[in-house]
Amino acid sequence: MTSPSTREIKVKDISGEIDNWVIKIKVLLSWPIFYSKDLDDMLSLEVLLIDSEGTRIQGSIAIEVVCARCFNLNEGDYYEIGRVEVVENDGLQRITDHPFRLVFWNGSIVKPWKPAPFSAYGTFVVQVIPNATKLVFNPPIVEVFNLYDWWV
């Protein structure tokens, strides 16, 4: 997907000043945001993304884009993305310390990508902190366990 006019960057380099870039990421988590308690009132699909350096950024996919099936971001899968809108990360649903978030739209480019074996992408475990408003992630670990069993 990278052309002479685009350049590959890392999550830490994302800002409102950089234009025409692509980034390789892994989807850690995804969850829907609703207008109300009615499950038919979905506003957006939120995603937590990570790059090979372990830097995280939040993304939002509007319901119109999800329903049009322009692309799909699945937890645990890797993608090369481009042409996304970069906005300040100052909303109520903020789950990373990154100052920006990504907003996917119909024109966004999302291409499946497979990293090299034993790449720098680590396994992360979610820590639940009582009375916290955001998730915190541990550094990469070797052991993987079932989060559902741990959560309950």
Side-chain angles (χ1 to χ4, degrees), residues 3-114:
S3 70
S5 61
T6 60
R7 66 182 185 132
E8 187 177 327
I9 65 170
K10 298 292 185 185
V11 169
K12 69 179 180 185
D13 301 321
I14 292 175
S15 72
E17 299 171 6
I18 298 175
D19 207 12
N20 208 16
W21 49 263
V22 296
I23 190 166
K24 293 179 178 177
I25 50 91
K26 178 180 181 180
V27 179
L28 285 181
L29 296 170
S30 66
W31 65 98
I33 300 292
F34 296 93
Y35 283 114
S36 66
K37 293 180 181 179
D38 185 357
L39 296 181
D40 292 331
D41 290 338
M42 189 168 138
L43 173 64
S44 67
L45 181 66
E46 301 294 306
V47 289
L48 179 61
L49 310 170
I50 187 170
D51 69 5
S52 62
E53 295 179 341
T55 309
R56 295 171 309 278
I57 191 166
Q58 186 173 344
S60 300
I61 308 169
I63 186 63
E64 296 82 14
V65 177
V66 174
C67 290
R69 301 201 188 284
C70 296
F71 52 81
N72 196 14
L73 294 177
N74 299 313
E75 287 184 13
D77 288 347
Y78 299 87
Y79 299 93
E80 187 175 55
I81 60 172
R83 294 182 56 195
V84 295
E85 184 180 355
V86 177
V87 298
E88 288 188 21
N89 190 16
D90 57 2
L92 295 175
Q93 300 294 328
R94 183 177 180 169
I95 64 162
T96 70
D97 290 331
H98 200 287
F100 297 97
R101 72 186 313 158
L102 305 178
V103 178
F104 293 83
W105 53 288
N106 287 336
S108 295
I109 298 170
V110 178
K111 178 182 170 185
W113 169 74
K114 186 173 181 178

